[in-house]
Amino acid sequence: HNVDVKVVKHEAWAEVVLNRPEVKNAITGPLGLELAQAFEIVQNDDDIQVVLFRGAGGAFCSGLDLKAFGAEPSPVWMKTWKETWRRAHRAIFDCSKPIVCALERFAINGGAALAIASDFCISGEEAFLSVGEVKLGMAAPYNLVWLQLKHSESVTARLTLLGERVHGPQLLELGVVTECVADEAVEPRAREFTEQLASYPPGALSRIKRTSRAL
């Protein structure tokens, strides 16, 4: 079994990498489980001050792997999917280390929720975020939870009720991303941003993040 989510540790920071590039890092039960474990590992490692969250192969995340979810017979992991995905989001929520997302190409539906969950997001100019569940007649619970935690009602409506692709420059205007850079610069800039944060005094970032959550 290939590793669906990699944790790559650097001196004072780590990368959490969605690692199914052949399907644009589409989400399955096994990926959800490894994602939860990755953030639990990062949270429990005192050396790690910051997390760079990205997708392998130059794209962040295309959302649920509809082929895998629709497979016959149904995959074994479908039975525990809801619990798995809740655990992954809980692990991200419980991570007291700042999370910097590298938004390359796209973050769609379930993938959008992961980008919005991050504390900082570096987007490409042509990259887009899409919360398109409304067009499928589906709810978007995790997107809504994260948007309500971090953004205004108008931004939440703009992203969830229209269901459109919102590109880097618009995401920057809405305050959904931190910076918008040339597409080829996303990963290097996200690394630079992460390294800058990692250079701050040990423990400072997580103390502030924990305190802001407790207020």
Side-chain angles (χ1 to χ4, degrees), residues 146-157:
W146 286 112
L147 282 164
Q148 286 174 345
L149 188 67
K150 293 165 178 275
H151 298 285
S152 68
E153 195 176 336
S154 62
V155 169
T156 301

Side-chain angles (χ1 to χ4, degrees), residues 173-196:
E173 272 175 40
L174 292 170
V176 176
V177 303
T178 318
E179 288 182 17
C180 178
V181 299
D183 290 84
E184 64 278 4
V186 173
E187 196 190 318
R189 175 59 189 138
R191 282 178 189 280
E192 186 182 35
F193 192 97
T194 304
E195 286 172 350
Q196 179 194 335

Side-chain angles (χ1 to χ4, degrees), residues 109 131-140 157 159-164:
N109 300 356
V131 183
E133 281 93 342
V134 68
K135 292 185 173 177
L136 306 170
M138 291 164 66
L159 290 178
T160 60
L161 296 179
L162 280 174
E164 294 174 346

Side-chain angles (χ1 to χ4, degrees), residues 112-140:
L114 299 177
I116 296 163
S118 303
D119 298 290
F120 301 100
C121 192
I122 312 294
S123 170
E125 287 165 357
E126 298 292 320
F128 67 85
L129 189 139
S130 168
V131 183
E133 281 93 342
V134 68
K135 292 185 173 177
L136 306 170
M138 291 164 66

